[in-house]
Amino acid sequence: MKKFLLASAASMALTGAAAADGHQGDVTLGVILGFTGPIESITPAMGDGAELAMAEVTESGALFDGAAVTSVRADSTCVDSSAAQAAAERLITSDGVHGIVGADCSGVTGSILANVAVPNGMVMISPSATSPGLSTAEDNGLFFRTAPSDARQGVVMAEIIMERGIDTVAVTYTNNDYGQGLADAFTAAFEEAGGTVTLSAAHEDGRADYSAEVGALASAGGQALVVAGYVDQGGSGVIQAALDTGAFDTFVFPDGMVSQALVDNFGSDIDGSFGQNPGTDSEGAGLFQAMAEEAGFDGTSPFSAESYDAAALIMLAMAASGSRNAADYMGEVMNVANAPGTEILPGQLGMALEMIANGEDVDYVGASAVELIGAGESAGNYREIEIVDGELSVAGYR
């Protein structure tokens, strides 16, 4: 991917025309997430996070002299690429969206990017697609993500495990781009740190019985089982089978497993288990969580902060370019996300828009301490969690 820090001469001409006109019209953003499927327990708060940023901008009246920003939701399913592509196509051709927040899971995100976003010249900012393979996807400068790559998560997870005195683990991963990419990144980092992966094996989602998979993992051994799966699907099935047979009693949970549903499912049966998901204890995170509470949803829910940030970056980039057309504003995403400029936190989007209109630089920090690097992805901050007395608690941040 390329960063496109400067617009083409043609885009600059369009931007000038837009600025002279002073009003681009209202803005519609697509929000395509797995509202059904293996992560459906966390996507409602993700959608709410994105729409909270839209409501803030609309209320400010500072985008394009009072443009209203509305959301159109679509279901990525997380796992069905054909359905996800069809949903994304409808967002563009039928709903006329000007940008897309999403998708969520890495496989469907890659499919939408290659088959819908790139052919239609549409900007996508994913709050949760983490496959390392997306870093090198052909995107024509249209794709960004506010969640860090699993290349980073693999290193963080290896550090957390080793610091807890565990040096042998078995790994089970959901058989898709996300699971394979994370398992490979973790294995490489863990072995480089001196650990041993006894077995790394895929599991298929949707099965009623995971005893065979757990039997193989138990035979290989390990002090803990890393479950790189989905909490609303096979990941929980593997945990249940492991608990039923006594194969493992300590589990390590990457981001696809960390949610309230995890402790709702298993409670104190998984006490002592731990893991990580993207998150920060920054000032912006606290502000976002308070705003989310007032709006009636949980701002600590995984990827909800990153969803707020994804929507905010699209709107700020539009303002910086003077246009709601993706071809014009895609080159401004990296600029508004990074220094130099005044740092912008949740609740300050109206101020940021006014500053941009006055020709001032902004550095969007947002709810997840945004810094976009390399191919337009988050540098990465992680929340370390553990299960204590049947509840999910925060052990620290990295």
Side-chain angles (χ1 to χ4, degrees):
M1 290 190 282
K2 299 179 180 178
K3 292 197 287 186
F4 288 94
L5 295 180
L6 295 176
S8 67
S11 292
M12 290 174 68
L14 286 171
T15 299
D21 179 66
H23 187 69
Q24 279 283 322
D26 290 338
V27 172
T28 304
L29 298 183
V31 177
I32 184 164
L33 303 169
F35 294 109
T36 63
I39 62 167
E40 63 185 18
S41 65
I42 68 172
T43 50
M46 292 172 66
D48 290 341
E51 289 161 1
L52 182 62
M54 298 179 211
E56 183 181 340
V57 166
T58 298
E59 185 177 354
S60 77
L63 178 63
F64 303 144
D65 292 337
V69 185
T70 57
S71 168
V72 180
R73 291 191 177 191
D75 187 5
S76 77
T77 77
C78 177
V79 291
D80 186 337
S81 291
S82 295
Q85 289 175 38
E89 191 74 45
R90 286 193 296 272
L91 286 176
I92 296 171
T93 59
S94 298
D95 298 309
V97 301
H98 303 106
I100 291 177
V101 175
D104 46 358
C105 298
S106 296
V108 294
T109 298
S111 295
I112 292 170
L113 176 62
N115 298 296
V116 182
V118 169
N120 287 281
M122 181 57 62
V123 165
M124 292 174 61
I125 303 186
S126 172
S128 61
T130 54
S131 170
L134 289 168
S135 296
T136 55
E138 290 295 330
D139 73 335
N140 294 350
L142 293 162
F143 179 66
F144 307 86
R145 46 183 170 170
T146 50
S149 164
D150 281 331
R152 169 69 175 149
Q153 183 172 195
V155 172
V156 171
M157 183 159 58
E159 291 173 351
I160 291 172
I161 293 171
M162 295 292 281
E163 288 172 10
R164 289 174 179 256
I166 295 172
D167 59 11
T168 61
V169 299
V171 178
T172 179
Y173 61 90
T174 184
N175 191 19
N176 62 19
D177 291 354
Y178 161 68
Q180 180 75 66
L182 178 54
D184 289 348
F186 165 72
T187 297
F190 193 60
E191 291 179 345
E192 184 176 349
T196 299
V197 174
T198 60
L199 176 66
S200 182
H203 64 260
E204 300 294 337
D205 288 323
R207 292 190 174 177
D209 182 10
Y210 289 92
S211 57
E213 289 86 348
V214 168
L217 293 161
S219 295
Q223 296 163 271
L225 176 61
V226 176
V227 185
Y230 296 129
V231 69
D232 297 320
Q233 252 298 339
S236 287
V238 169
I239 295 170
Q240 189 63 63
L243 292 172
D244 289 344
T245 60
F248 295 92
D249 57 13
T250 300
F251 304 91
V252 182
F253 303 119
D255 52 359
M257 293 296 299
V258 179
S259 81
Q260 183 60 37
L262 181 67
V263 292
D264 289 345
N265 289 345
F266 301 108
S268 58
D269 289 346
I270 54 173
D271 277 358
S273 298
F274 56 92
Q276 71 290 317
N277 68 299
T280 174
D281 59 348
S282 66
E283 180 185 359
L287 290 169
F288 170 73
Q289 288 162 19
M291 290 167 59
E293 182 177 5
E294 185 176 349
F297 69 96
D298 181 8
T300 69
S301 184
F303 301 113
S304 60
E306 288 81 1
S307 299
Y308 174 95
D309 290 343
L313 284 174
I314 291 175
M315 293 181 289
L316 293 179
M318 287 179 175
S321 71
S323 173
R324 61 181 184 167
N325 296 321
D328 300 332
Y329 74 78
M330 68 180 188
E332 294 290 347
V333 174
M334 295 289 284
N335 292 337
V336 298
N338 295 331
T342 301
E343 293 190 352
I344 302 299
L345 300 177
Q348 298 178 336
L349 296 183
M351 180 184 79
L353 292 167
E354 291 173 2
M355 293 179 67
I356 291 170
N358 291 329
E360 300 175 54
D361 290 331
V362 299
D363 173 12
Y364 183 76
V365 175
S368 63
V370 170
E371 180 184 356
L372 297 189
I373 60 173
E377 59 197 22
S378 172
N381 301 280
Y382 283 89
R383 179 182 72 158
E384 181 180 351
I385 63 96
E386 58 189 2
I387 311 303
V388 179
D389 295 331
E391 298 293 336
L392 189 153
S393 64
V394 177
Y397 293 89
R398 295 172 184 254

